[in-house]
Amino acid sequence: MNYDTFVDQVAQRTRADSEQAVELTRAVLETLAERLTGGEVLDLAAQLPRPLQMVLKPSPRTESADRFGAAEFVARVALRAHVEEPAARDAVRAVFTTLREAISGGEFDDVATQMPRDYRGLVEPAMAPGATLRRG
């Protein structure tokens, strides 16, 4: 999946314009990079378009995952994207669903495995049958 398609999918899922979709995507991926181990960040980045790879660049301090729950994940996304938490929660679900379409199933499973149980409400919509965007 190319960058424009990724952003377009997030925009459609969040009902945001392209500029806001870029901001939401960046906020979710930056937060995800904090939550994953450095090796997993590299594996994920390798399957994404270059502009998104740049967002996921791990630093030496990101080798070990920062342990925080789903509520903190949403709060960090809201802060980064300058949106309210309900909009951030929708954005997280939209980006996870779009990631699921953009990367291999095995890689998505590897990402999902690093998420604790309280992330289920954010990640499972991406795993549900029919989670892909229907073109009408």
Side-chain angles (χ1 to χ4, degrees), residues 56-73:
L56 286 169
K57 281 277 195 237
S59 67
R61 67 172 190 78
T62 60
E63 185 49 42
S64 62
D66 192 357
R67 302 285 177 204
F68 52 87
E72 175 67 15
F73 192 101

Side-chain angles (χ1 to χ4, degrees), residues 8-88:
D8 183 53
Q9 297 286 316
V10 172
Q12 289 182 50
R13 288 188 168 105
T14 58
R15 294 180 182 85
D17 62 33
S18 290
E19 193 174 304
Q20 181 70 14
V22 166
E23 198 62 34
L24 293 168
T25 298
R26 178 176 303 278
V28 172
L29 293 178
E30 285 175 357
T31 306
L32 184 59
E34 293 172 345
R35 186 61 189 80
L36 299 175
T37 61
E40 192 55 49
V41 171
L42 289 172
D43 291 348
L44 175 59
Q47 294 192 24
L48 292 174
R50 182 161 299 292
L52 298 179
Q53 289 176 4
M54 305 312 283
V55 174
L56 286 169
K57 281 277 195 237
S59 67
R61 67 172 190 78
T62 60
E63 185 49 42
S64 62
D66 192 357
R67 302 285 177 204
F68 52 87
E72 175 67 15
F73 192 101
V74 170
R76 289 182 186 199
V77 170
L79 192 64
R80 282 189 165 111
H82 311 289
V83 296
E84 298 294 320
E85 287 194 13

Side-chain angles (χ1 to χ4, degrees), residues 81-101:
H82 311 289
V83 296
E84 298 294 320
E85 287 194 13
R89 190 171 297 105
D90 289 346
V92 171
R93 289 183 181 128
V95 172
F96 274 126
T97 300
T98 307
L99 273 177
R100 177 67 186 93
E101 296 168 2

